[in-house]
Structures are given as structure tokens and as C-alpha cells.
Amino acid sequence: MAKSTKQQPVHEIRFGAVKAAIWQNETAVGTRHNVTVSRIYKDGEDWKQTDSFGRDDLQLLAKVVDLAHTWIFENAA
């Protein structure tokens, strides 16, 4: 049986519990990038993630999104 390979982000930026994952997609018109953002937290013994952010997360969210934007433009082919 063939082993499935899960796509991985090409880059991640993280500050504290807030992270941005940058994904690369090849299209008919060239390489495109998408960004997903999340906040990680511990629930008992398990690590989980959410796309919900509190007031105190917003500055970190803005920072990781800004750095993701910079990374994409610096690494565009």
C-alpha cells in the first residue's frame, strides 16, 4: 500500500502561541502562496490549535502576517 504524503508548509513564522504557515501552490500561471494563521494552546495534556484570536494575540498576529508577506515577496521566483 502506498504511503500518503501530506503537504507541508514551505515556511512557518511563530511568535509565542501565534503562527503563520506559508503554503506553496503550483498553478498554470506560476507559483502562488497562501497563508494560514493559527493559535496553539494546551488542553490538558493535548496540544490543539484554533483560528480564534483574543485581544492580546492581535499584535502577534499582525507581526506574523507581516513577516509572512515579506517572506513571500523575498522568495518569489
Side-chain angles (χ1 to χ4, degrees):
M1 180 161 25
K3 188 177 180 181
S4 66
T5 57
K6 187 174 180 183
Q7 183 182 8
Q8 297 292 315
V10 292
H11 191 67
E12 284 188 353
I13 299 163
R14 180 174 165 192
F15 282 103
V18 178
K19 72 176 182 177
I22 303 169
W23 304 86
Q24 182 171 303
N25 300 298
E26 298 302 327
T27 71
V29 293
T31 302
R32 299 286 186 232
H33 292 91
N34 293 321
V35 178
T36 56
V37 292
S38 60
R39 179 176 54 83
I40 59 173
Y41 65 96
K42 198 164 188 181
D43 183 14
E45 294 298 315
D46 300 322
W47 284 99
K48 298 186 177 183
Q49 68 180 31
T50 182
D51 58 2
S52 176
F53 300 90
R55 178 196 67 196
D56 295 337
D57 300 319
L58 296 179
Q59 283 188 310
L60 291 177
L61 179 61
K63 182 70 172 175
V64 298
V65 170
D66 179 50
L67 289 172
H69 177 264
T70 300
W71 188 92
I72 291 168
F73 274 88
E74 287 178 348
N75 291 278

